[in-house]
């Protein structure tokens, strides 16, 4: 099975018990709007931690119905993050979501050695895009957490992503490892890593997926473009997952898809004890809602 649209996630969520989601530093309009909509739609049971008065004011100003909502008053953002993370590490909830705080502040708390949400695995970010010009959803990793992944990190990022896609119903996802060119160039490290990952996949060192690379972006997503260059590949033109060489390339692709191609997106952090919804401030309320849906679909 492959997913064609983000609304397909609803079918996956429909068969699962409702998840408890903790929103840290909840005084953020788009996050609150998305969380309350997901609550209404019976996808999650929210717990809000943050400045109670601001939360209530935002709800009142935007006409959000907040009666019966669980709000824990903690006006200090660092304390709110810590309380939220501790609630998850002590198994009182199922999903963590970032509210009005910086990405790295939340990630540092998640990585806290004493009370964080580490598992011993590398944590990585994955985004699922619905782009009008592509025939199915396309996943992109890592555009937000690992800054300059080594080959070892890339193996973990692929493994995290493939396990996640399996949970969504994919049997053998097709993984394109991106470079600037499709030939191995000893001066371009991304192409060397790509070739090694492909070989490791052929030798069953990385399982349950088909990896090919290096592939330039056009070859990865367009069969015509790959054929034009004479590339023979099971992945080219039918990629399920794009592996980025680093965070800059990933972040620029993410923003280009959203702002130029008007793509819809949902994203989460994988590899921690629980899924983490970590959308950026520029993401729309719809993207936050779809990310909540994705976190519920990804939860066991
Ligand atoms: N998975 C598991 N453990 C990790 C990871 C990871 N991805 N990254 C770091 N750690 C562990 C390290 O092993 C170490 O034990 C500890 O955490 C601290 O590691 P540092 O010193 O390398 O990392 P930090 O704390 O300086 O930074 C970690 C961040 C995740 C905050 C950092 O990598 C970061 O800022 N990433 C980019 C976040 C960002 O700005 N995204 C915005 C794009 S929208």
């Amino acid at each position: 099975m492959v997913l064609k649209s983000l609304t397909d996630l609803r079918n996956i969520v429909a068969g699962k018990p409702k998840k408890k989601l903790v929103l840290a530093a909840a005084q953020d309009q788009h996050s609150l709007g998305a969380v309350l909509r997901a609550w209404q739609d019976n996808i999650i049971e929210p717990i809000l931690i943050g400045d109670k008065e601001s939360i209530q004011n935002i709800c009142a100003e935007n006409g959000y119905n907040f009666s019966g909502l669980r709000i824990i008053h903690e006006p200090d953002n660092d304390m709110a993050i810590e309380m939220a993370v501790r609630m998850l590490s002590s198994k009182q909830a199922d999903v963590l979501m970032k509210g009005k705080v910086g990405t790295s502040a939340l990630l540092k708390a998640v990585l806290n050695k004493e009370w964080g949400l580490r598992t011993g695995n590398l944590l990585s970010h994955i985004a699922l895009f619905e782009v009008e010009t592509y025939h199915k959803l396309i996943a992109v990793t890592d555009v937000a957490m690992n800054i300059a992944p080594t080959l070892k990190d890339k193996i973990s990022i692929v493994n995290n992503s493939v396990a996640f896609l399996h949970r969504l119903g994919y049997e053998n996802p097709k993984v394109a490892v991106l470079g600037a060119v499709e030939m191995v160039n000893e001066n371009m490290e991304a192409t060397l890593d790509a070739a090694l990952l492909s070989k490791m996949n052929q030798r069953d060192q990385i399982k349950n997926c088909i990896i090919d690379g290096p592939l330039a972006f056009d070859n990865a997503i367009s069969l015509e473009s790959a054929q034009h260059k004479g590339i023979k590949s099971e992945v080219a033109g039918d990629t399920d997952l794009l592996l980025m060489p680093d965070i800059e390339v990933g972040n620029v692709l993410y923003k280009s898809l959203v702002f130029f191609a008007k793509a819809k997106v949902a994203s989460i952090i994988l590899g921690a004890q629980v899924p983490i919804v970590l959308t950026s401030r520029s993401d729309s309320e719809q993207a936050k809602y779809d990310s909540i849906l994705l976190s519920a679909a990804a939860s066991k």
Side-chain angles (χ1 to χ4, degrees):
M1 185 189 85
V2 295
L3 299 175
K4 296 227 155 97
S5 93
L6 290 175
T7 48
D8 290 348
L9 293 169
R10 284 180 170 276
N11 304 332
I12 299 173
V13 170
K16 296 186 176 223
K18 211 175 355 174
K19 300 291 173 306
K20 275 194 184 143
L21 177 144
V22 183
L23 178 60
Q27 57 282 4
D28 173 68
Q29 191 205 323
H30 284 165
S31 305
L32 272 174
V35 165
L36 296 185
R37 211 176 114 202
W39 184 34
Q40 258 173 17
D41 292 350
N42 265 322
I43 297 165
I44 51 149
E45 188 70 49
I47 302 165
L48 308 184
I49 305 181
D51 187 323
K52 192 167 186 175
E53 205 184 317
S54 304
I55 294 169
Q56 288 175 335
N57 287 341
I58 294 170
C59 289
E61 279 159 22
N62 291 281
Y64 302 149
N65 179 3
F66 58 98
S67 71
L69 192 59
R70 188 168 163 207
I71 306 176
I72 301 171
H73 179 59
E74 179 45 79
D76 180 88
N77 277 354
D78 288 337
M79 295 297 291
I81 295 175
E82 181 173 336
M83 192 186 284
V85 171
R86 282 184 186 273
M87 205 172 244
L88 284 141
S89 54
S90 60
K91 312 260 178 283
Q92 294 173 62
D94 310 294
V95 176
L96 174 64
M97 179 168 171
K98 174 175 95 84
K100 204 175 181 141
V101 286
T103 299
S104 56
L106 189 96
L107 289 178
K108 279 175 196 271
V110 165
L111 292 172
N112 184 285
K113 287 196 173 122
E114 196 196 322
W115 43 262
L117 299 169
R118 287 167 178 253
T119 54
N121 291 332
L122 190 83
L123 273 62
S124 58
H125 181 271
I126 191 163
L128 269 183
F129 289 92
E130 184 182 323
V131 199
E132 230 175 67
T133 46
Y134 198 59
H135 56 286
K136 56 184 171 179
L137 291 186
I138 189 153
V140 181
T141 186
D142 179 330
V143 309
M145 179 146 196
N146 292 285
I147 296 172
T150 60
L151 175 65
K152 194 171 168 211
D153 294 339
K154 287 177 185 175
I155 296 166
S156 301
I157 293 171
V158 170
N159 283 331
N160 276 353
S161 307
V162 167
F164 161 80
L165 290 171
H166 278 257
R167 280 205 294 284
L168 296 186
Y170 287 72
E171 273 142 39
N172 217 13
K174 297 179 179 175
V175 183
V177 186
L178 289 190
V181 288
E182 63 283 354
M183 295 298 176
V184 176
N185 178 328
E186 60 275 28
N187 296 318
M188 296 183 186
E189 208 180 321
T191 67
L192 299 173
D193 285 355
L196 288 167
L197 289 164
S198 306
K199 184 51 80 179
M200 289 176 81
N201 177 241
Q202 279 177 15
R203 294 281 184 271
D204 252 0
Q205 286 175 273
I206 305 174
K207 294 189 181 48
N208 305 319
C209 59
I210 306 169
I211 303 181
D212 198 10
L215 287 171
F217 181 72
D218 55 333
N219 316 140
I221 54 135
S222 157
L223 185 59
E224 197 188 337
S225 173
Q227 282 172 340
H228 190 68
K229 287 215 171 141
I231 298 167
K232 291 188 189 72
S233 163
E234 265 186 275
V235 173
D238 197 34
T239 299
D240 294 302
L241 172 71
L242 290 167
L243 180 70
M244 296 293 120
D246 61 34
I247 197 170
E248 277 85 16
V249 178
N251 207 265
V252 171
L253 177 63
Y254 183 113
K255 301 272 159 73
S256 319
L257 288 172
V258 171
F259 286 89
F260 274 167
K262 302 289 171 214
K264 286 177 76 185
V265 63
S267 64
I268 55 170
I269 296 279
L270 304 170
Q273 286 169 29
V274 294
I276 302 166
V277 177
L278 186 105
T279 49
S280 76
R281 264 163 273 193
S282 63
D283 281 320
S284 63
E285 186 178 310
Q286 183 65 41
K288 290 181 198 291
Y289 176 87
D290 287 333
S291 300
I292 294 169
L293 195 57
L294 186 62
S295 71
S299 307
K300 279 164 199 145

